[in-house]
Amino acid sequence: MKKLLSGNEAFALGAYHAGVMVAAAYPGTPSTEILESIARFDDIYAEWSTNEKVAMEVGLGAAYAGVRALVSMKQVGLNVASDPFMAASITGINGGLVVIVADDPGAFSTQNEQDTRHYAKLSKVPMLEPSDSQEAYDLMAVAFEISEKFDTPVLVRSSTRISHSKSVVVTNRSLVTSAKQASFKHDVEKYVMLPVHVRLRRPLIEERLVRLTAYAETFPRNHIFWGELKLGVVSSGVAYQYAREVFPNACFLKLGMTYPLPQNLLRQFAEGVERLIVVEELDPFLEENILAMGIKVAGKEFIPRIGELNTGIVEEAGHRAGLVAEPSRRKIALPQGLPGRPPVLCAGCPHAGIFFVLNTVGQRSKLLDARGKAEEEGKLIITGDIGCYTLATYPPLRAMDTTACMGAGIGQALGMEKAGVGSKVVAVIGDSTFLHSGITGLVDAVYNKAGVTIIILDNGTTAMTGHQDHPGTGISAKGKKTEAVELERLVRGVGVDDVKVVNAFDMKALRSAVRSSLDNTELSVIIVRGACSVRLRKRSGHRAVDMDKCDGCEVCLRIGCPAIQKLDEQVCIDATLCAGDACTICEQLCPKKAIGPLTAVGESK
């Protein structure tokens, strides 16, 4: 059977056909759809874990029990999961354990650009790289077989283009069903990493690597395509597709396993061509390892090491290297005159009100210059976190001073306070991110008697990655009702006395809660609760501006709501964007009471 599948859908179907029984993940672009796809199979346990570390631990536990387990995440997620992942390398597994990590070259939706292949070398586990959806599907079965044959977790590296591009996939494998029941075989020396056992396991890792290196020589997905001998290209993943298009007559060594490398195969290929280059995305991982073998090779002299590649970039690089006579592609001229669209929160976003309050209380508009800098410390320092609310960094809200990684804002706030900053520190974090890795920061703040204010923005979903549920929503990854974690009970349970829960669209209550918490010298938590506007199914009561009352003060524009615009020197509200009765923040802020329901103001105005 042929199907049109994205790489992520192909990973999920391939794992299902390979007999995976447990799948765990934390949503993160570009990896999210792997678990969303696999959760549709009724005979697989699938969960959104609270973070990638927990997902890895769930997968590892299942693998210890002898069943095949799949863990997926984006590249920075492997940083979070690295502790149990490294442990998995040394303990090994029982059932197969495959870890799919999706890189984000170009950092389209990530705080950094990171090449996951380095983790394979660090952990001494095999790394597989598909170059299209068919290989994404096929490699799942291979990955589980390698995992079980060599007693190791297996890394599979995807990237944005592999994960999100669709191509036809032949899905002719039969579903692998295991007759054995999950069962844990007690083996203290294997699974309990006391130092005495670590010393026993450590040589086994090196022996495994030697066997994997030998296996790589015959790995059928490492394949030579002979062409004109004057140029040989070593490549893998989506970069192979670009290189194949740019150098159609060249010889290719396409690597499906990029760690460990097939040294004999590489030498054979290098000796068979006049000039050897590597085309790879991000770091010179292959190039440096091939150079370390004593093989003359080039690549990053002309192939960019920053950002996502495409055929045009590879072709221009080939031209600079004297490998392509003239770039054949004309650059596509972008249409001119399109209006600029600054990054802003959505119309009706439940985060707009609290950020407006923080902006005004902290007098941020006066403090920061056009580039967000200030010579003096302001009244408020606002440490942020990863989520769509990070957009509050931009004008007009300008209410975010830091964003590092998931869950970092609370710890940063504590660090600043303990360092002795003179201003009040406020940490802002979303509900999903708080459950991901903010809880430990909160516990630390309680234990070390922090005097900061923590604001949890609870919009009831993991909004930025596409509205996945999390433990606070009470809905499982398979769409079933489950026990919801109540944030206020959790926060009080770890020892916070000053806990306020505020309606995200009640400006008076928001301002009162913020002022009260800032006056408190002890730790305080404000939970700002309001539904994500993207999930509003019905909108009613669209707001409009009464031009007879409006004096053009533009306070409403300072919310940053994209529904409020200034056209021909007049402020107006776009009814197609306005969240109406579900929001009303602009109406509450207008000092002239010039904003109200469209039906009351009158369409003529």
Side-chain angles (χ1 to χ4, degrees):
M1 179 182 292
K2 294 182 179 179
K3 292 185 177 181
L4 184 62
L5 298 176
S6 70
N8 284 346
E9 292 168 333
F11 281 129
L13 185 60
Y16 176 67
H17 283 170
V20 70
M21 294 303 296
V22 172
Y26 183 80
T29 306
S31 68
T32 306
E33 298 83 4
I34 299 173
L35 190 96
E36 287 182 332
S37 300
I38 211 163
R40 299 187 182 114
F41 298 109
D42 292 336
D43 47 347
I44 292 179
Y45 172 78
E47 71 163 49
W48 290 122
S49 303
T50 46
N51 63 27
E52 297 84 355
K53 178 176 180 290
V54 174
M56 189 70 74
E57 290 158 351
V58 169
L60 189 54
Y64 282 172
V67 304
R68 290 185 167 183
L70 180 73
V71 183
S72 56
M73 62 195 69
K74 67 185 300 179
Q75 88 280 18
V76 289
L78 189 53
N79 301 335
V80 180
S82 60
D83 211 0
F85 173 69
M86 296 298 289
S89 171
I90 195 163
T91 66
I93 46 85
N94 183 12
L97 177 61
V98 174
V99 182
I100 304 175
V101 182
D103 284 1
D104 182 20
F108 293 105
S109 59
T110 316
Q111 69 268 31
N112 73 22
E113 194 177 54
Q114 184 175 306
D115 193 325
T116 295
R117 293 176 295 179
H118 296 291
Y119 267 108
K121 190 171 184 180
L122 174 67
S123 59
K124 304 176 189 293
V125 306
M127 164 68 79
L128 306 184
E129 285 194 69
S131 61
D132 56 26
S133 296
Q134 181 70 62
E135 289 191 349
Y137 170 80
D138 291 339
L139 279 179
M140 284 294 97
V142 177
F144 280 110
E145 290 166 4
I146 294 174
S147 177
E148 292 171 352
K149 180 177 181 179
F150 293 93
D151 189 18
T152 178
V154 172
L155 273 175
V156 177
R157 184 201 191 204
S158 183
S159 64
T160 305
R161 285 318 125 195
I162 296 294
S163 287
H164 289 169
S165 297
K166 289 202 172 190
S167 57
V168 175
V169 179
V170 178
T171 59
N172 55 0
R173 291 206 319 267
S174 300
L175 174 64
V176 174
T177 54
S178 175
K180 65 179 182 181
Q181 291 292 314
S183 176
F184 180 66
K185 299 177 180 176
H186 299 272
D187 187 343
V188 171
E189 290 186 355
K190 176 173 169 63
Y191 296 123
V192 182
M193 285 304 97
L194 292 167
V196 64
H197 298 155
V198 172
R199 295 182 196 114
L200 293 175
R201 295 288 304 175
R202 182 71 179 86
L204 299 179
I205 304 305
E206 297 302 324
E207 292 170 14
R208 182 180 72 195
L209 190 56
V210 170
R211 290 190 290 120
L212 281 166
T213 303
Y215 174 77
E217 299 290 350
T218 59
F219 183 61
R221 304 283 173 173
N222 291 336
H223 193 80
I224 293 178
F225 301 94
W226 291 110
E228 295 180 359
L229 302 181
K230 62 183 179 181
L231 178 65
V233 182
V234 180
S235 193
S236 65
V238 72
Y240 165 77
Q241 305 289 4
Y242 304 144
R244 190 84 203 200
E245 196 168 334
V246 172
F247 310 111
N249 299 320
C251 301
F252 277 86
L253 172 51
K254 178 182 177 301
L255 295 171
M257 178 183 284
T258 50
Y259 190 81
L261 288 175
Q263 297 193 19
N264 293 334
L265 190 64
L266 276 163
R267 292 184 196 284
Q268 175 196 345
F269 183 68
E271 290 169 0
V273 299
E274 297 175 19
R275 183 176 179 181
L276 186 67
I277 67 169
V278 173
V279 178
E280 58 187 325
E281 217 162 39
L282 296 181
D283 294 341
F285 180 83
L286 298 176
E287 183 180 343
E288 289 179 352
N289 281 282
I290 294 171
L291 283 170
M293 298 175 198
I295 299 173
K296 185 179 179 181
V297 67
K300 290 303 176 184
E301 297 168 29
F302 47 91
I303 299 291
R305 67 172 64 203
I306 299 172
E308 185 179 37
L309 297 181
N310 59 40
T311 306
I313 292 172
V314 174
E315 188 173 38
E316 288 185 9
H319 177 61
R320 290 195 299 274
L323 299 169
V324 175
E326 190 71 33
S328 60
R329 300 164 202 285
R330 289 184 298 113
K331 290 186 177 178
I332 300 173
L334 296 175
Q336 300 298 309
L338 293 175
R341 183 186 180 281
V344 293
L345 299 172
C346 300
C349 175
H351 309 328
I354 186 65
F355 281 122
F356 179 85
V357 170
L358 293 175
N359 176 298
T360 53
V361 170
Q363 299 181 342
R364 310 276 296 180
S365 299
K366 296 179 182 177
L367 174 70
L368 302 173
D369 65 16
R371 300 182 64 185
K373 296 182 177 179
E375 294 297 326
E376 299 179 355
E377 191 173 292
K379 294 176 65 176
L380 287 182
I381 301 172
I382 306 169
T383 58
D385 228 294
I386 303 291
C388 48
Y389 45 88
T390 312
L391 294 171
T393 305
Y394 297 107
L397 295 170
R398 319 187 79 176
M400 195 77 83
D401 290 317
T402 70
T403 300
C405 62
M406 296 286 280
I410 297 175
Q412 289 176 338
L414 180 63
M416 288 185 182
E417 186 211 22
K418 298 303 182 185
V421 295
S423 306
K424 184 78 177 188
V425 188
V426 177
V428 181
I429 189 169
D431 50 338
S432 183
T433 309
F434 175 73
L435 291 164
H436 174 281
S437 49
I439 296 172
T440 48
L442 175 66
V443 171
D444 194 71
V446 171
Y447 178 65
N448 291 294
K449 298 186 178 302
V452 303
T453 293
I454 299 168
I455 298 177
I456 303 173
L457 305 173
D458 182 8
N459 62 2
T461 186
T462 312
M464 193 168 70
T465 50
H467 299 104
Q468 291 77 28
D469 286 295
H470 59 66
T473 67
I475 304 295
S476 75
K478 297 176 85 71
K480 296 180 179 177
K481 191 173 182 180
T482 183
E483 193 71 24
V485 175
E486 293 183 25
L487 296 182
E488 47 268 50
R489 289 181 64 189
L490 189 156
V491 172
R492 290 190 178 99
V494 299
V496 181
D497 295 325
D498 185 353
V499 182
K500 306 178 186 72
V501 181
V502 188
N503 182 342
F505 301 102
D506 186 337
M507 294 303 295
K508 186 176 179 180
L510 286 174
R511 196 179 298 276
S512 174
V514 168
R515 291 197 179 282
S516 170
S517 295
L518 294 180
D519 289 339
N520 187 354
T521 58
E522 298 182 351
L523 178 64
S524 57
V525 173
I526 305 172
I527 300 172
V528 180
R529 184 162 288 151
C532 176
S533 61
V534 178
R535 306 185 91 179
L536 285 177
R537 294 188 176 182
K538 293 184 179 179
R539 300 184 180 216
S540 60
H542 301 143
R543 262 47 186 176
V545 180
D546 187 335
M547 296 304 176
D548 293 337
K549 296 179 180 178
C550 177
D551 65 354
C553 71
E554 300 185 0
V555 168
C556 54
L557 293 176
R558 292 170 57 192
I559 310 167
C561 177
I564 307 175
Q565 306 167 23
K566 189 174 184 181
L567 299 173
D568 300 328
E569 299 304 314
Q570 288 189 336
V571 175
C572 58
I573 297 176
D574 186 339
T576 62
L577 296 176
C578 179
D581 292 336
C583 176
T584 76
I585 289 178
C586 59
E587 181 178 348
Q588 296 174 57
L589 291 178
C590 180
K592 295 297 181 181
K593 307 297 182 188
I595 297 177
L598 180 63
T599 51
V601 173
E603 292 189 31
S604 62
K605 297 179 179 179

